[in-house]
Amino acid sequence: MSAPGYPSPHQGPGSYSTAPYPVPHGGYGDPNHAPPLIGFHMGYNHKQPHPGQPVMYQPVPMPEYGVPQMGPSPGYGGPMPGPEYGAPNSGPPAAISPAPAAVVPVGVPPGLEYLTQIHQILIHQKVELLEVFTGFETNNQYEIKNSLGQKIYKAKEENDCCTRNCCGALRSFDMKIKDNTDREVIRFIRPYRCASCCCPCCLQELEVQAPPGTTIGYVSQDWHPCVPKFSIKGANKETVMKLEGPCFACNCCGDVNFELTGKDGGKSIGRISKQWSGLIKEVFTDTDNFGIQFPMDLDVKMKAVLMGTCFLIDFMFFEKD
């Protein structure tokens, strides 16, 4: 049986349209239908389905199919039930009560509700023509999409000209993440740190805030002479997960995978993948495509921290000086 639709303002009563946001097969959060951890085959170098409209709002819970409702559906409105035709008048009409407020999951920062329903994110860096033709470093900009290619967030680096062009890939920055209504929902803060494996006292770190001003986690580089390793941490800097990349983080005609594990290591539970963008883009630009895969039931705050980890990896290993 197909899932129930949603009332469409362009159709008559009783008509329904499909959901305006992607519905993963098997239902939200079904652990029996988690996708296999096999590369990302919907990268931007492959043929994509035609992307739909951007996700302009955070979806709200819908009533169960077949369950009679005693009032309007939350978040969508609708006509209030009236008395039956021919029923005796029982008195003055009661006041119309407002529709109940949409239920927001407990502990989810505002603007991140949609992340609770997905297990994969695609990040596409936008091409800066000024940077391509002049070599003048500009602020990086990204589009963050779901697996169907729908834009859910946009990211833009905020920095000054001197820092960008003098400090190169090591530069500090503030990265603002906004939804499609231009509301800032996440902020990544990276301080200036060195990148030498001979200096373990000043390793890379990035702070994640959601909403801006409220720290929800960190990603910290772990010292290793050869292999890139990171710790995914909570707001109190307690280690939650580990991330480990290959010895040589270069994607010569192939993807580069950073495997995500629990805090004690063991079996992979997700990954961050730098996707091969094609020879022309890889040689002449520093625009990159990434895929992030994580468990569906992962804490939404840690999903945001993994998003910040992806940006840190981009600057550390794939940003051209």
Side-chain angles (χ1 to χ4, degrees), residues 56-87:
M56 298 301 295
Y57 60 90
Q58 300 293 345
V60 297
M62 292 297 296
E64 294 184 10
Y65 182 68
V67 178
Q69 300 298 310
M70 302 304 295
S73 300
Y76 291 94
M80 293 293 293
E84 294 184 4
Y85 181 75

Side-chain angles (χ1 to χ4, degrees), residues 6-85:
Y6 295 80
S8 172
H10 303 293
Q11 298 173 332
S15 299
Y16 294 88
S17 62
T18 56
Y21 52 88
V23 181
H25 297 293
Y28 299 131
D30 188 350
N32 297 323
H33 293 78
L37 293 176
I38 302 176
F40 294 85
H41 299 294
M42 61 285 292
Y44 292 87
N45 54 314
H46 301 290
K47 186 176 180 180
Q48 290 290 314
H50 188 272
Q53 295 296 323
V55 179
M56 298 301 295
Y57 60 90
Q58 300 293 345
V60 297
M62 292 297 296
E64 294 184 10
Y65 182 68
V67 178
Q69 300 298 310
M70 302 304 295
S73 300
Y76 291 94
M80 293 293 293
E84 294 184 4
Y85 181 75

Side-chain angles (χ1 to χ4, degrees), residues 13 57 89 117 128 140 191 197 202 222 224 273 295 301 320:
Y57 60 90
N89 189 1
Q117 304 178 16
E128 299 292 339
N140 287 358
C197 63
C202 194
D222 297 332
H224 194 278
S273 177
K301 296 178 182 178
K320 295 180 176 65

Side-chain angles (χ1 to χ4, degrees), residues 22-256:
V23 181
H25 297 293
Y28 299 131
D30 188 350
N32 297 323
H33 293 78
L37 293 176
I38 302 176
F40 294 85
H41 299 294
M42 61 285 292
Y44 292 87
N45 54 314
H46 301 290
K47 186 176 180 180
Q48 290 290 314
H50 188 272
Q53 295 296 323
V55 179
M56 298 301 295
Y57 60 90
Q58 300 293 345
V60 297
M62 292 297 296
E64 294 184 10
Y65 182 68
V67 178
Q69 300 298 310
M70 302 304 295
S73 300
Y76 291 94
M80 293 293 293
E84 294 184 4
Y85 181 75
N89 189 1
S90 57
I96 299 177
S97 60
V103 179
V104 178
V106 177
V108 176
L112 304 190
E113 294 87 353
Y114 185 72
L115 293 181
T116 64
Q117 304 178 16
I118 56 177
H119 64 269
Q120 185 170 312
I121 294 174
L122 302 176
I123 298 179
H124 170 57
Q125 185 175 355
K126 299 174 68 175
V127 177
E128 299 292 339
L129 295 179
L130 177 64
E131 186 173 330
V132 172
F133 290 109
T134 66
F136 185 82
E137 186 67 39
T138 59
N139 283 322
N140 287 358
Q141 298 186 62
Y142 305 83
E143 289 185 342
I144 303 168
K145 303 180 180 182
N146 60 21
S147 59
L148 298 181
Q150 296 172 307
K151 186 173 72 172
I152 53 178
Y153 300 111
K154 54 187 175 182
K156 184 175 182 180
E157 173 191 3
E158 288 201 350
N159 221 325
D160 60 86
C161 176
C162 181
T163 301
R164 289 195 308 271
N165 291 277
C166 294
C167 299
L170 294 177
R171 62 185 182 266
S172 60
F173 63 76
D174 283 7
M175 185 83 69
K176 292 186 176 181
I177 312 298
K178 296 183 178 181
D179 62 15
N180 290 317
T181 63
D182 211 35
R183 174 183 59 162
E184 184 181 356
V185 294
I186 311 174
R187 182 176 298 175
F188 302 132
I189 302 174
R190 181 200 187 190
Y192 178 82
R193 299 286 177 87
C194 70
S196 174
C197 63
C198 301
C199 186
C201 61
C202 194
L203 298 175
Q204 296 290 316
E205 186 177 68
L206 183 137
E207 178 184 353
V208 181
Q209 298 180 353
T214 302
T215 301
I216 61 171
Y218 298 84
V219 51
S220 302
Q221 181 186 9
D222 297 332
W223 184 85
H224 194 278
C226 301
V227 178
K229 294 186 175 184
F230 300 89
S231 291
I232 313 301
K233 301 180 178 180
N236 298 320
K237 292 196 172 183
E238 73 281 6
T239 299
V240 178
M241 293 175 290
K242 293 283 189 178
L243 188 75
E244 182 174 330
C247 184
F248 297 101
C250 62
N251 61 334
C252 182
C253 302
D255 296 352
V256 180

